[in-house]
Amino acid sequence: MRNRSEEIASSTNGLKQTLGSAENGLSGYREKQENLQKELHKLEAELTEFEQQNSALQQEISGLGKQREERQQELNQIQADFSRCKARLEVLETAEKNLTGVNQGAQYLLKNAARLGNNTKMQSAGGCFLFPQE
């Protein structure tokens, strides 16, 4: 019976040591779990911050896109106004050239009319012009 009691005591001591070792291992795992939980919370907080930054950047990009569209419309309007002004300038330059020619022709007619004197029959200047047929 003594052998049996020693075996039981030895087995109990072995189990106590195994239990102590398991408790130490469990304690280590619990500590690792706590560290991992802390790391998880930290990463979740960073993820939330990154998502907020991403949302803010998306809104800024959207605002910049709207500003770009507005600027493009303004540019198109300015280009259209410029084209209209350029066309008007060309019309005015052409009219100026034509009026200069008419002015010179009228001056020529007036000078020649003065040389002819009062005996000459006067008529409209338009009748003196020769226009080519198109």
Side-chain angles (χ1 to χ4, degrees), residues 30-45:
R30 284 183 180 156
E31 186 177 325
K32 286 181 182 179
Q33 182 184 11
E34 288 175 13
N35 290 338
L36 289 173
Q37 286 290 337
K38 289 177 183 177
E39 184 69 22
L40 177 62
H41 289 300
K42 180 181 172 184
L43 291 173
E44 287 174 343

Side-chain angles (χ1 to χ4, degrees), residues 71-89:
R71 297 300 182 263
Q72 186 65 40
Q73 289 176 354
E74 289 175 11
L75 176 62
N76 292 341
Q77 184 64 40
I78 290 170
Q79 287 175 336
D81 291 343
F82 176 76
S83 294
R84 280 193 295 275
C85 290
K86 186 176 178 183
R88 287 179 186 166
L89 178 63

Side-chain angles (χ1 to χ4, degrees), residues 92-103:
L92 290 174
E93 287 175 345
T94 303
E96 181 183 16
K97 289 176 186 175
N98 290 338
L99 289 176
T100 301
V102 170
N103 183 31

Side-chain angles (χ1 to χ4, degrees), residues 107-121:
Q107 287 177 0
Y108 173 77
L109 290 174
L110 289 173
K111 286 180 187 177
N112 285 329
R115 271 192 291 144
L116 292 174
N118 291 337
N119 296 338
T120 308
K121 182 179 176 187

Side-chain angles (χ1 to χ4, degrees), residues 12-22:
T12 303
N13 285 337
L15 287 174
K16 285 181 182 179
Q17 287 177 353
T18 303
L19 184 59
S21 171

